[in-house]
């Protein structure tokens, strides 16, 4: 995970257990309002999880993109 | 040919297995640690919820003849100049393997340090686990709250194991009708990986455990937990797993550490980012797999093979025993390219978990390698997913 101009990048490819949702929760904890978090995951479960997570936490999913080798999710942190 | 000097930082499962796997004809091996005793950490669970003893052994008894062990705390690892600085001096190396595990840091959540000092936990020391056991035995009724204080938890099944064993104890003490059991988690469900959640969550619900999802602990005040998401839980008895970070050791360059002091490591060849002669294994790394003994074991074998000139690659295999209480268990089995298997609970799984405690010390010397190899082949996640995944 690296921080650069309020953009947090998380490479969660290959994580099946504990899974990408753990990396998202960790990035959320280290984030500030206004940050964007970009997650790469191979576990397709991230799509439903991230939607439910954003709804619960009041943050915004900017995009969920299915690529051949991964899912790319971009989130904007509106609430902490 | 001159022997290559290998310095291993940390005498836990990973460090010892690696040391014992290296050919001493070609390698001069030194293990450094701040303690000379290894604790069988999976037994903290049984000390906290069943009052059992935690096995320990002196590190010099666990290593093969010829391997050097120094009780000498490491302060700094200089990867650029290939030197390790300790309280007692310095060690130059040809290869370094960092196997420093993870350490708890209760100070990162406001109010948690006081709770941890008072009530203990079942992840950090024998004394803390015994405190949980004592509290559970003097408990007369009310709300018990159990969960992990941060997204990173050493041994991911352990929070649910803890709450299931609490339920078993409360039930046996006939306090069930006077007790509310609340389990909290920062994830959308009780267990982060969905296939195994589908196995364990129904069991938790059936036993009357209330599950609070998306509860990422922010602070604790006046017997109440507050989450980042804005929820609260009032409690009478807290059992809280503290946050985990990497060991407090300085690195040169500093950039090899992530925000939580875990070491940026290649998830396939275990090399520390940017270095050919430096490796990290076990809980100390940032690779996307569970922090658990099985990872340390398998990764140690990978590094031993690479150092000895054999090509090898870690596949991210997990194999975490999961105690469900009342003599039943399951396993969390997956890998980088295989989702976790929805492995059905059984008494045999529980028995296998109990056996691990019996064979653990000998397994560090490689005595049971052939059994482990057979076992890992037999429980290959590709094979198991074909059988159990719908």
């Amino acid at each position: 995970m690296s921080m650069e101009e309020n953009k947090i990048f998380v490479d969660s490819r290959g994580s099946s257990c504990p899974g990408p949702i753990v990396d998202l929760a960790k990035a959320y904890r280290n984030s500030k309002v206004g940050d964007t978090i970009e997650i790469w995951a191979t576990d397709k479960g991230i799509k439903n999880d991230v939607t439910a997570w954003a709804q619960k936490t009041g943050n915004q999913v900017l995009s969920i993109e299915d690529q051949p080798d991964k899912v790319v999710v971009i989130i904007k942190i509106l609430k902490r | 040919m001159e022997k290559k000097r290998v310095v291993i930082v940390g005498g836990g499962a990973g460090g010892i297995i690696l040391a014992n796997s290296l050919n001493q004809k070609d390698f001069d091996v030194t293990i450094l640690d701040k303690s000379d005793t290894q604790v069988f950490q999976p037994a903290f669970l049984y000390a906290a919820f069943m009052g059992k003893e935690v096995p320990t052994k002196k590190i010099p008894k666990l290593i093969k003849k010829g391997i050097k062990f120094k009780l000498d705390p490491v302060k700094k690892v200089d990867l650029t100049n290939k030197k390790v600085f300790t309280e007692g001096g310095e060690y130059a190396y040809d290869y370094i393997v960092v196997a420093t595990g993870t350490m708890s840091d209760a100070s990162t959540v406001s109010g948690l340090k006081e709770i941890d000092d008072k009530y203990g936990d079942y992840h950090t020391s024998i004394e803390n686990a015994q405190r949980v056991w004592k509290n559970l035995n003097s408990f007369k009724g009310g709300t018990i709250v159990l969960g992990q204080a941060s997204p990173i938890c050493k041994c991911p099944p352990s929070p649910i194991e803890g709450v299931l064993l609490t339920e078993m104890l409360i039930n046996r003490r006939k306090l069930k009708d006077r007790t509310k059991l609340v389990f909290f988690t920062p994830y959308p469900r009780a267990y982060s990986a969905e296939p195994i959640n589908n196995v364990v969550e129904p069991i938790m619900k059936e036993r009357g455990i209330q599950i609070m999802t998306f509860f990422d602990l922010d602070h604790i005040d006046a017997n109440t937990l507050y989450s980042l998401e804005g929820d609260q839980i009032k409690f009478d008895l807290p059992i809280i797993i503290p946050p985990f970070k990497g060991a407090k050791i300085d690195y040169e360059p500093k950039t090899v550490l992530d925000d939580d002091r875990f070491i940026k490591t290649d998830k396939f060849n275990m090399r520390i980012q940017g270095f050919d002669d430096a490796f990290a294994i076990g809980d100390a790394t940032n690779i996307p797999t569970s922090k658990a003994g099985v990872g340390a074991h398998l990764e140690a074998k990978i590094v031993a093979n690479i150092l000895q000139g054999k090509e090898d690659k870690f596949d991210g295999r997990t194999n975490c025993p999961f105690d469900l209480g009342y003599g039943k268990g399951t396993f969390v089995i997956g890998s980088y390219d295989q989702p976790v298997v929805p492995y059905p609970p059984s008494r045999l799984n529980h028995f296998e978990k109990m056996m691990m405690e019996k064979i653990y010390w000998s397994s560090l010397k490689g005595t049971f390698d052939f059994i482990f190899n057979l076992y890992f082949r037999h429980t290959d996640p590709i094979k198991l997913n074909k059988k159990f995944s719908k």
Side-chain angles (χ1 to χ4, degrees):
Chain A
M1 203 182 321
S2 65
M3 249 198 226
E4 203 185 311
E5 297 171 4
N6 296 333
K7 193 174 168 185
I8 301 172
F9 171 66
V10 184
D11 186 356
S12 198
R13 286 175 299 171
S15 184
S16 62
C17 182
I21 189 69
V22 174
D23 292 325
L24 169 62
K26 194 178 143 190
Y28 175 47
R29 188 167 269 273
N30 293 333
S31 70
K32 300 182 299 297
V33 171
D35 286 355
T36 54
I37 301 176
E38 176 170 339
I39 305 169
W40 290 6
T42 41
D43 181 339
K44 304 273 182 204
I46 188 73
K47 294 194 275 185
N48 286 336
D49 282 354
V50 90
T51 312
W53 173 87
Q55 211 161 31
K56 170 71 191 175
T57 56
N59 291 297
Q60 189 188 357
V61 180
L62 296 179
S63 65
I64 298 178
E65 194 190 329
D66 254 315
Q67 294 183 0
D69 58 340
K70 61 181 178 292
V71 180
V72 176
V73 178
I74 303 175
I75 298 155
K76 183 142 183 102
I77 300 297
L78 304 174
K79 247 176 100 178
R80 270 292 321 254
Chain B
M1 202 179 75
E2 220 172 289
K3 284 190 186 187
K4 297 282 184 199
R5 294 161 302 173
V6 179
V7 171
I8 300 171
V9 186
I16 302 281
I17 289 173
L18 174 68
N20 285 336
S21 305
L22 288 173
N23 162 7
Q24 290 189 39
K25 240 177 35 249
D26 302 322
F27 297 98
D28 175 69
V29 184
T30 305
I31 301 174
L32 304 170
D33 203 313
K34 61 182 187 314
S35 161
D36 65 351
T37 306
Q38 204 194 101
V39 178
F40 183 66
Q41 297 180 43
F44 286 161
L45 180 77
Y46 298 108
F49 300 102
M50 287 180 166
K52 289 191 182 170
E53 294 275 318
V54 176
T56 64
K57 275 218 198 303
K58 293 284 182 195
I59 292 173
K61 294 220 183 287
L62 302 171
I63 50 181
K64 288 183 181 167
K65 218 175 139 196
I67 296 167
K68 287 173 230 150
F69 171 72
K70 305 276 183 202
L71 177 61
D72 193 358
V74 171
K75 295 164 72 146
K76 185 178 176 179
V77 175
D78 184 341
L79 296 167
T80 313
N81 297 301
K82 300 172 78 150
K83 266 188 189 162
V84 178
F85 296 90
T86 61
E87 273 183 13
E90 56 180 76
Y91 298 79
Y93 63 79
D94 297 303
Y95 295 104
I96 186 168
V97 183
V98 177
T100 44
T102 172
M103 54 172 284
S104 68
D105 190 354
S107 68
T108 54
V109 174
S110 165
L112 181 59
K113 177 87 179 61
E114 294 75 8
I115 293 284
D116 197 44
D117 288 346
K118 191 170 166 193
Y119 296 97
D121 63 69
Y122 61 104
H123 283 73
T124 59
S125 70
I126 298 175
E127 296 71 34
N128 277 342
Q130 287 169 340
R131 207 167 296 158
V132 172
W133 175 241
K134 212 177 121 209
N135 292 335
L136 280 168
N137 277 286
S138 54
F139 179 75
K140 302 271 190 290
T143 301
I144 301 177
V145 64
L146 190 150
Q148 63 192 78
S150 88
I152 300 177
C153 182
K154 179 165 157 149
C155 183
S158 62
I160 297 178
E161 289 183 298
V163 80
L164 289 173
L165 294 186
T166 301
E167 189 277 335
M168 186 169 78
L169 181 67
I170 293 303
N171 193 17
R172 288 187 172 159
R173 290 193 56 222
K174 308 212 181 312
L175 291 168
K176 200 74 192 277
D177 50 358
R178 269 177 282 162
T179 305
K180 190 170 144 193
L181 253 177
V182 184
F183 176 81
F184 69 92
T185 169
Y187 312 134
R189 53 193 158 263
Y191 194 79
S192 59
E194 202 168 2
I196 203 77
N197 184 69
N198 294 342
V199 175
V200 299
E201 205 176 278
I203 297 174
M204 297 171 76
K205 287 185 173 156
E206 195 186 287
R207 296 188 194 160
I209 297 162
Q210 189 188 326
I211 303 165
M212 294 277 286
T213 57
F214 289 121
F215 194 97
D216 202 341
L217 187 61
D218 184 61
H219 67 282
I220 308 172
D221 187 28
N223 281 22
T224 309
L225 306 181
Y226 296 84
S227 76
L228 277 175
E229 295 84 358
D231 295 319
Q232 308 176 8
I233 311 170
K234 269 190 156 319
F235 61 80
D236 298 294
L237 176 59
I239 304 172
I240 297 175
I241 301 159
F244 287 96
K245 307 258 176 191
K248 275 191 179 143
I249 291 174
D250 292 331
Y251 282 83
E252 168 53 44
K254 290 187 180 75
T255 47
V256 298
L257 296 182
D258 76 4
D259 298 337
D260 294 306
R261 292 200 308 269
F262 292 112
I263 298 163
K264 295 176 191 164
T265 307
D266 185 288
K267 68 184 175 191
F268 297 119
N269 64 32
M270 308 315 296
R271 283 190 169 90
I272 298 177
Q273 197 180 78
F275 293 86
D276 278 341
D277 51 11
F279 299 82
I281 57 174
D283 292 356
T285 76
N286 74 334
I287 66 169
T289 182
S290 301
K291 299 212 174 295
V294 60
H297 180 140
L298 294 171
E299 294 155 22
K301 294 289 187 190
I302 303 282
V303 173
N305 281 341
I306 292 174
L307 287 177
Q308 293 173 134
K310 277 179 244 161
E311 247 181 66
D312 210 349
K313 188 176 155 189
F314 185 44
D315 61 359
R317 176 70 195 268
T318 58
N319 195 84
C320 303
F322 201 141
D323 196 323
L324 301 169
Y326 304 97
K328 284 202 171 179
T330 181
F331 276 84
V332 186
I333 297 172
S335 69
Y336 290 147
D337 57 15
Q338 276 296 307
V340 167
V341 180
Y343 204 56
S346 75
R347 290 197 179 272
L348 178 64
N349 295 338
H350 186 263
F351 174 74
E352 285 170 7
K353 173 163 182 163
M354 296 297 116
M355 279 307 286
M356 190 61 211
E357 186 175 324
K358 306 269 179 247
I359 65 168
Y360 174 72
W361 304 111
S362 325
S363 76
L364 297 181
K365 283 204 175 155
T367 315
F368 295 112
D369 276 2
F370 70 102
I371 296 181
F372 281 110
N373 292 340
L374 268 174
Y375 176 84
F376 284 127
R377 252 196 315 247
H378 179 69
T379 54
D380 184 276
I382 300 178
K383 214 158 80 182
L384 293 181
N385 267 326
K386 274 192 194 139
K387 193 167 167 192
F388 296 117
S389 285
K390 278 173 209 131

